[in-house]
Amino acid sequence: MKSTDKNFIERLQRQEEDALEFIVDTYLPLIKGVTYKVLSPLRNDGVMEECINDIFLSIWNHSKKFHGDTTDFRKWICAIAKFKAIDYYRKAMKKMELTSGYTEVDPEKSAEDELIILEDRKELLQLIDLLEPVDRDIFIMKYFLGLKNEDISIKLGLTKASIDNRIYRGKKKLSQKATNLKLGGSVV
């Protein structure tokens, strides 16, 4: 028996391999779209491919936890794809953060100076994490990946003016939040 639109969920839960093949054939474009939306700022196809494979492995391993129809299944795999892609994005950003910290070692600076720079960078990342997701992506692409505003606007599908405005407002927000932290206020 082959998997169809009517029986693929039951066959997947029984761990029938043809059900996974059916899901890959049917939902790969959707999974790629969700994954690309999250991971495109990284510009790394290897990470994207690995993430997509991990998404299908997760669908396979957790299929018995799913209860619902094909509409619910579509929502379920989109949620899995989104959260897996976010995990991969965070891992890649942490890796990038660590490697960029090591490449910028200046022999003219003391160990204390280097430590202060690393702590400042960590604080800045924590502040950036408080921004809205789009603004956070813009700041990471601009200041950590070194992309130009035009490139960022193309990646995110926004106008260059919108990117410029978001950077301006984001800097103001970060400045206010940093001031609140230094004054002992709470950051909301």
Side-chain angles (χ1 to χ4, degrees):
M1 176 179 254
K2 279 289 224 188
S3 291
T4 64
D5 288 336
K6 307 264 188 258
N7 69 357
F8 75 94
I9 294 172
E10 294 168 16
R11 293 185 62 77
L12 178 69
Q13 291 174 336
R14 289 194 313 250
Q15 302 287 291
E16 301 283 343
E17 288 183 26
D18 66 288
L20 185 60
E21 290 173 16
F22 177 84
I23 291 167
V24 170
D25 291 342
T26 306
Y27 294 103
L28 182 61
L30 176 66
I31 298 294
K32 275 187 175 180
V34 171
T35 306
Y36 181 79
K37 187 164 180 88
V38 175
L39 296 178
S40 63
L42 297 178
R43 293 185 176 185
N44 188 334
D45 290 334
V47 170
M48 205 170 303
E49 289 295 321
E50 185 180 339
C51 180
I52 289 170
N53 289 337
D54 202 16
I55 290 166
F56 284 114
L57 181 64
S58 186
I59 291 169
W60 176 260
N61 288 336
H62 300 287
S63 62
K64 291 186 171 115
K65 294 179 183 177
F66 175 75
H67 303 288
D69 61 6
T70 55
T71 306
D72 294 333
F73 185 79
R74 182 180 172 93
K75 292 175 188 175
W76 184 68
I77 64 170
C78 282
I80 290 173
K82 178 182 174 185
F83 290 115
K84 281 285 183 196
I86 289 170
D87 287 346
Y88 271 78
Y89 182 82
R90 287 180 179 154
K91 285 178 196 173
M93 292 311 292
K94 281 185 181 180
K95 187 176 183 181
M96 206 178 310
E97 176 186 334
L98 290 174
T99 57
S100 67
Y102 291 120
T103 57
E104 295 175 13
V105 174
D106 186 354
E108 300 289 319
K109 295 181 182 171
S110 68
E112 292 86 10
D113 291 338
E114 290 293 334
L115 183 61
I116 290 170
I117 290 170
L118 287 174
E119 286 177 2
D120 288 345
R121 180 177 290 220
K122 185 178 179 182
E123 288 175 15
L124 180 60
L125 284 170
Q126 288 172 338
L127 284 172
I128 288 173
D129 202 37
L130 297 174
L131 294 173
E132 294 178 29
V134 173
D135 293 337
R136 183 180 327 131
D137 291 343
I138 291 170
F139 269 75
I140 289 171
M141 285 188 253
K142 171 91 175 155
Y143 296 107
F144 289 91
L145 300 177
L147 296 179
K148 295 180 181 176
N149 291 5
E150 294 84 15
D151 296 333
I152 296 170
S153 69
I154 292 168
K155 279 278 188 200
L156 297 178
L158 299 170
T159 64
K160 184 185 174 299
S162 174
I163 299 296
D164 294 338
N165 288 337
R166 285 179 174 272
I167 289 172
Y168 175 76
R169 286 183 299 209
K171 284 180 180 178
K172 284 179 77 171
K173 285 180 191 174
L174 290 176
S175 177
Q176 290 170 347
K177 289 180 181 192
T179 303
N180 287 346
L181 285 174
K182 287 178 185 173
L183 296 175
S186 64
V187 177
V188 178

